Amino acid sequence: MKNIVVFASGSGSNFQSIIDATQNGSLNAHIVGLISNKSGIKALERAEKYRIPILVISESEFHEYKAYEQQLLLQLENWKADLIVLAGYLRKIPGSVIRAYENRILNIHPSLLPKYGGKGFYGINVHRAVLEAKDTISGCSIHIVSEEYDKGPILEQAKVNVLVSDTPEALAARILEQEHLLYPKVIETYLNTFNEN
Ligand code: GRF
C-alpha cells in the first residue's frame, strides 16, 4: 500500500474526503501524516480524531530557509511518503521538496485551470473573479505540482455551472462538493500508475 502525506492549512474538508475514501476502501492508501503550517485548525482536529501523525511547521520558526526545507524533507522521508497531497495548503512548497518528489505532489484548485490560477487566486478570491467575469462555468482542477505555481500538468477537472443567483460562497460550496468526489478518485488512479513502473 502506498503512503500519502497530506498538507493542509484550513478546514481540511478535502483531507476528510481522503480519510473517508481510505476507510471505505475506495482509496487504497495509508495516510501516514498531516503537515500544517498553522496550529488550531480544523484539519488538525481531523487528524487527531483518526490518530494520523501531525507535523506543524512554519518557515518563520527557522533562522534559515534551508533548515526549514531540510526539516520538511526529513519528515517526509521518515514517513516514507510515496505521494504528497496538497489539500488547501496556503504556503509555497519549497523547490527542493518539489524536485525531490517530482511528479509525486498533487494539488486541488477551485477553478478550471489555467483560468484563475497563480498569484492571488486562492479561496473566495477565485470565485469572486469567476462571478465578476460572468463566466457561466467553473469547477475544480487536480494537477501535478511543478515549480511554477498552479501550472503543473492537469490530471482531471470537474465542471460546475455558475448560476445567475450565485454568490462567491454559494459557488465555492458547490465546487467543494465536486472536489470531495474527485480528489480521492484521482489519487487512487494516480497511485495505480506507480505500480506500472
Ligand atoms: C479547496 O477549495 C481547494 O480547492 C483549495 O483550498 C480549499 C481547501 O478546502 N486548494 P478544505 O480545507 O479542504 O475544506
Side-chain angles (χ1 to χ4, degrees):
M1 204 186 287
K2 299 289 183 209
N3 291 336
I4 296 179
V5 173
V6 178
F7 281 55
S9 302
S11 133
S13 69
N14 277 289
F15 175 41
Q16 184 68 53
S17 75
I18 296 163
I19 295 172
D20 294 346
T22 60
Q23 300 233 323
N24 71 26
S26 57
L27 171 56
N28 185 29
H30 183 205
I31 306 173
V32 288
L34 174 75
I35 292 183
S36 171
N37 60 306
K38 274 199 234 170
S39 50
I41 58 167
K42 183 96 189 279
L44 293 171
E45 278 173 37
R46 298 182 199 268
E48 275 160 19
K49 180 169 172 203
Y50 294 90
R51 298 186 200 291
I52 295 168
I54 289 167
L55 172 70
V56 178
I57 185 171
S58 159
E59 61 213 66
S60 59
E61 302 155 29
F62 296 83
H63 291 302
E64 283 184 34
Y65 192 73
K66 208 172 172 132
Y68 162 69
E69 290 179 294
Q70 274 164 357
Q71 190 61 42
L72 264 184
L73 284 166
L74 191 69
Q75 185 64 77
L76 291 167
E77 215 173 283
N78 285 343
W79 278 335
K80 298 190 174 9
D82 294 304
L83 183 72
I84 295 170
V85 172
L86 308 184
Y89 189 65
L90 294 176
R91 276 293 194 285
K92 190 173 177 287
I93 301 293
S96 56
V97 175
I98 298 177
R99 288 188 292 277
Y101 289 85
E102 199 187 355
N103 295 322
R104 304 248 162 172
I105 309 178
L106 302 185
N107 183 41
I108 188 157
H109 186 81
S111 76
L112 295 176
L113 289 173
K115 289 188 101 175
Y116 311 108
K119 208 164 188 287
F121 285 121
Y122 60 88
I124 210 73
N125 297 347
V126 174
H127 309 293
R128 227 174 253 141
V130 169
L131 293 182
E132 271 165 23
K134 301 201 182 326
D135 286 2
T136 55
I137 204 147
S138 189
C140 57
S141 307
I142 295 164
H143 67 95
I144 298 171
V145 172
S146 67
E147 289 196 60
E148 259 190 300
Y149 211 70
D150 286 339
K151 287 223 169 120
I154 294 167
L155 294 176
E156 200 82 60
Q157 295 182 312
K159 290 185 178 157
V160 170
N161 289 324
V162 179
L163 309 176
V164 254
S165 58
D166 259 336
T167 58
E169 291 74 16
L171 179 59
R174 286 205 314 289
I175 291 176
L176 199 56
E177 279 174 24
Q178 295 305 312
E179 294 183 33
H180 297 161
L181 298 174
L182 194 65
Y183 214 3
K185 272 195 219 160
V186 172
I187 295 168
E188 169 70 9
T189 308
Y190 195 64
L191 283 175
N192 283 333
T193 67
F194 289 13
N195 300 329
E196 292 161 12
N197 301 320

